[in-house]
Amino acid sequence: MFEARLVQGSLFKKVLDAIKDLVNEANWDCSATGLSMQAMDSAHVSLCFIDLNAEGFDPYRCDRNLTLGLNINNLSKIMKCAANDDVVTIRAEDNADAVNLIFESPNQEKVSEYSMMLMNIDSEHLGIPETEYSATIKMPSAELQRICRDLSQIGDSVTITCVKDSVRFSSSGELGSGNVSLRENTSVDKEDDEVSIDLHEACNLTFASRYLNFFTKATPLSNTVKLSLKSDVPLVVEYKVGDIGSIKLV
Amino acid sequence: MFEARLVQGSLFKKVLDAIKDLVNEANWDCSATGLSMQAMDSAHVSLCFIDLNAEGFDPYRCDRNLTLGLNINNLSKIMKCAANDDVVTIRAEDNADAVNLIFESPNQEKVSEYSMMLMNIDSEHLGIPETEYSATIKMPSAELQRICRDLSQIGDSVTITCVKDSVRFSSSGELGSGNVSLRENTSVDKEDDEVSIDLHEACNLTFASRYLNFFTKATPLSNTVKLSLKSDVPLVVEYKVGDIGSIKLV
Amino acid sequence: MFEARLVQGSLFKKVLDAIKDLVNEANWDCSATGLSMQAMDSAHVSLCFIDLNAEGFDPYRCDRNLTLGLNINNLSKIMKCAANDDVVTIRAEDNADAVNLIFESPNQEKVSEYSMMLMNIDSEHLGIPETEYSATIKMPSAELQRICRDLSQIGDSVTITCVKDSVRFSSSGELGSGNVSLRENTSVDKEDDEVSIDLHEACNLTFASRYLNFFTKATPLSNTVKLSLKSDVPLVVEYKVGDIGSIKLV
């Protein structure tokens, strides 16, 4: 028996919104330590890692390890049926062929219960190799989303150039070229507005605008985002999922 | 001469919004007691009844009974030209071939006058047979709209099961199944948030999601909605039109 | 070298939004007195004049007269990359083949720089002949936009009839006819709500709804709009661009 109850159910709605355009189907691994998902996007270009800690749920019960193979688009449709203030419970019997999603309104007067068939999905366990990145940037997530959206008007790829004290995003295409520079700024009133750069080596890397726009769909999850850059290694874009976990897009 | 002036003109806008996707054309009957409309939807599956009492208008004048045959889509387009705070007057001469709609801004500085051709529409007078329903449910209208929208993601039909103290809406389809249970709750702070169930006999009836979604387009008219259920009898969904009348969808 | 820095950069965004559906490409003339643009719409039916005074910019520098031929749609795309509170600078070297647009965030932490290729555009210098108009109407811009939108539901053209103390907009088509009358009203609390009519001769003129809807896309630029009418002369619709200039649509 697996059961995980999330009081701030809207977080799980936002997780699904973040990945539903990227991932078609995926295995969710349930263990004593939490719930995690690893998947490639349907074009096999990017990877998506989600980790939600057992401590973030109340209660969290996982009698033995389970793998729940789920169609992400269908799961997202069902999660849309949860109100933003609903408490969300995910429940599966051992060896069951379905997962149950239960949404309870805060006043307990409305209870919705959805059942969704499980799938058998082939997957290899993937990981992000441990590496020391040349640059790690923490910045407001809405700013990153805005920059990626703006520059994708200009060209199909975005180059991120990180030097001491500043990061520059640039693109060029038929209508011209554009670049956006952010200065490191750690003396702001709100920590979430901070732009901080942890630089070991200046770097200059290019990524597809299309995937950056996919990745930044996770923006509603967190006010800040962390970018990790290194030559010949994929960009890692990481958002916190409240204080219960994280989503990494690679 | 027929003339009916509605100070809260937005109500008439909302009535048209409620039925414009359901009804193509309809006769509006004007009599000394008020304005009423009965129509079948274009697929001849559902019925729509609107009653607006003479007392709700100021002034209301109907020298002799008139039938105004109107294209509902065109009438809706014209009603969109009224501002939400406009006073709306409907006026028709006896034996006229057109109806006039006059919109006055609250400060009287702007007056709009639209004229729309009348149509000859064959129609039989329809009615909802008097019957004692097995269950009558009063609930927040936005809640019903949300439930119908959510469950239409799951399947083409929605089953309403009413037992003592609770009502359950359920649906199933390719992606799984879902149900939403509401508990009777009459001790809420705001009367509009109440869910009350008047039950004579437990019942379990199935309706097309598509029509429930059409019916709940009337939601902006009223904070609450009344559902009347009985085996082998169509569901009646009723919304108040402010305090001047009602719309019943069957 | 040409450089014009506009602190209220959103005004330039709104200017582009106003004309982008009307004008494909246009020459912007830069001189010591300011920045101006004259263009015909792509169907060669209407004219668009923009004048932005040098005094509205800080600083404004124009070493010698320049003509910047620009694709308006591309320019609009780039201006969408400016935040509403950004300071916008337009910069071009003499004999350059590109123009630069620089957007600075209020806190100076974010600087965006876009470069856009210039085009060679044939154009004749056009002007609005000096004439004494029969009627000049000043009214709230949102009201004009609403009236044009409403009446374009009714018919393809709108007739404006101006008599002493009132102006009437009317249209007719397949679904019926409609007219909207505004009374002169200069004793309102807010000057922007004023409807004032300066009448030399009653007039009655007809214009295409389609173009009135194009013209009223400039509505966000100003709370008020001025209409100038005279028989056998095109209608002039004029909006202020903040206090730095104006846009005239003819």
Side-chain angles (χ1 to χ4, degrees), chain A residues 143 146 176-177 179 181 183, chain C residues 80 109-111 113 115:
Chain A
E143 189 69 272
R146 176 77 204 245
S177 64
N179 68 70
S181 294
R183 238 189 293 176
Chain C
K80 276 200 203 314
E109 302 300 342
K110 179 181 175 186
V111 178
E113 187 162 350
S115 171

Side-chain angles (χ1 to χ4, degrees), chain C residues 19-200:
Chain C
I19 63 168
K20 74 175 198 305
D21 295 330
L22 205 54
V23 177
N24 283 348
E25 39 193 52
N27 282 327
W28 292 73
D29 296 309
C30 313
S31 73
T33 57
L35 192 57
S36 66
M37 190 209 84
Q38 290 135 26
M40 297 186 86
D41 75 293
S42 46
H44 290 243
V45 170
S46 66
L47 290 167
C48 173
F49 296 84
I50 297 169
D51 284 294
L52 305 175
N53 304 319
E55 295 80 36
F57 297 88
D58 178 25
Y60 184 90
R61 174 181 163 189
C62 185
D63 298 345
R64 60 189 198 93
N65 288 1
L66 273 186
T67 296
L68 306 175
L70 293 169
N71 177 300
I72 297 300
N73 194 34
N74 290 350
L75 180 57
S76 164
K77 278 186 185 166
I78 289 177
M79 286 309 303
K80 276 200 203 314
C81 302
N84 284 328
D85 55 358
D86 277 357
V87 174
V88 170
T89 301
I90 306 163
R91 189 186 289 156
E93 302 296 328
D94 297 342
N95 304 316
D97 59 357
V99 63
N100 292 316
L101 292 145
I102 299 116
F103 311 145
E104 297 162 90
S105 68
N107 66 3
Q108 304 277 326
E109 302 300 342
K110 179 181 175 186
V111 178
S112 307
E113 187 162 350
Y114 291 87
S115 171
M116 189 180 148
M117 295 305 290
L118 295 175
M119 310 168 69
N120 278 314
I121 302 169
D122 283 334
S123 72
E124 342 165 35
H125 269 261
L126 308 157
I128 308 176
E130 285 284 323
T131 183
E132 194 180 332
Y133 286 95
S134 305
T136 308
I137 302 156
K138 181 178 157 293
M139 61 182 285
S141 60
E143 189 70 271
L144 180 67
Q145 185 177 41
R146 174 78 203 244
I147 291 169
C148 293
R149 195 191 67 195
D150 286 348
L151 290 179
S152 63
Q153 298 249 33
I154 307 296
D156 295 337
S157 66
V158 171
T159 299
I160 306 180
T161 306
C162 198
V163 295
K164 191 175 171 309
D165 295 345
S166 88
V167 54
R168 200 172 70 143
F169 301 81
S170 54
S171 188
S172 64
E174 273 179 40
L175 71 84
S177 64
N179 69 71
V180 180
S181 294
L182 292 182
R183 239 189 291 177
E184 182 165 34
N185 181 12
T186 53
S187 60
V188 287
D189 289 348
K190 288 189 291 180
E191 204 192 320
D192 286 351
D193 291 342
E194 204 174 278
V195 175
S196 71
I197 300 170
D198 182 9
L199 188 79
H200 295 277

Side-chain angles (χ1 to χ4, degrees), chain B residues 174-247:
Chain B
E174 273 179 40
L175 71 84
S177 64
N179 69 69
V180 180
S181 293
L182 292 182
R183 238 189 294 175
E184 182 165 33
N185 182 12
T186 54
S187 61
V188 287
D189 290 349
K190 287 189 292 177
E191 203 193 319
D192 286 351
D193 291 342
E194 203 173 280
V195 175
S196 71
I197 300 170
D198 182 10
L199 188 79
H200 294 277
E201 194 180 4
C203 51
N204 181 55
L205 296 159
T206 299
F207 308 101
S209 310
R210 180 176 149 79
Y211 278 89
L212 291 174
N213 284 334
F214 276 139
F215 291 1
T216 55
K217 293 201 174 170
T219 299
L221 276 167
S222 173
N223 291 328
T224 62
V225 60
K226 193 172 90 176
L227 305 178
S228 302
L229 294 131
K230 188 184 186 178
S231 289
D232 305 323
V233 163
L235 169 71
V236 181
V237 181
E238 180 177 354
Y239 298 86
K240 295 271 174 231
V241 177
D243 48 8
I244 70 162
S246 69
I247 175 168

